[in-house]
Amino acid sequence: MPWTTRDAMSLKQEFVALARQPGSNKRELCRRFGISPQTAYKWLERYEAQGQSGLQEKSRRPATSPKLTQTALEAQVIALRQAHPAWGGRTISCLL
């Protein structure tokens, strides 16, 4: 018996197609596909809002970072590091 190899996108498409049929049991489909109900409803909501492109994997990178270093300070650190390659972070931090 050969192994069935399918990518995640085709499985998502199949799940959404089956789940959107009238009278479908979404919990049973979740068990069959091996996903949680939260994931299933997330996929269905994304499909309703964005169509086929909503099933694509989304980046998990945060949209903002509250502790991000300001670009001006970053430029100063890089300039000092290039001018004095032997200096470490402690020395550069004390100077700035």
Side-chain angles (χ1 to χ4, degrees):
M1 178 167 78
W3 291 97
T4 57
T5 57
R6 300 181 61 194
D7 60 338
M9 187 64 177
S10 66
L11 290 173
K12 288 180 185 180
Q13 291 170 344
E14 183 182 349
F15 174 82
V16 168
L18 291 172
R20 294 187 75 218
Q21 291 178 355
S24 66
N25 186 339
K26 292 175 182 62
R27 296 288 175 143
E28 178 58 36
L29 286 172
C30 291
R31 283 188 284 276
R32 193 167 111 196
F33 281 83
I35 60 172
S36 70
Q38 291 85 1
T39 301
Y41 286 108
K42 177 179 70 172
W43 289 352
L44 290 169
E45 286 175 14
R46 284 185 183 173
Y47 184 81
E48 292 294 327
Q50 301 170 5
Q52 204 67 10
S53 63
L55 298 177
Q56 296 289 334
E57 286 292 323
K58 306 289 184 209
S59 173
R60 293 191 174 114
R61 181 179 181 189
T64 60
S65 178
K67 295 183 179 182
L68 188 65
T69 305
Q70 298 173 357
T71 52
L73 180 60
E74 187 177 336
Q76 289 177 336
V77 170
I78 291 172
L80 275 175
R81 184 68 178 159
Q82 289 174 345
H84 306 282
W87 288 3
R90 188 177 301 156
T91 305
I92 292 174
S93 175
C94 288
L95 284 175
L96 295 177

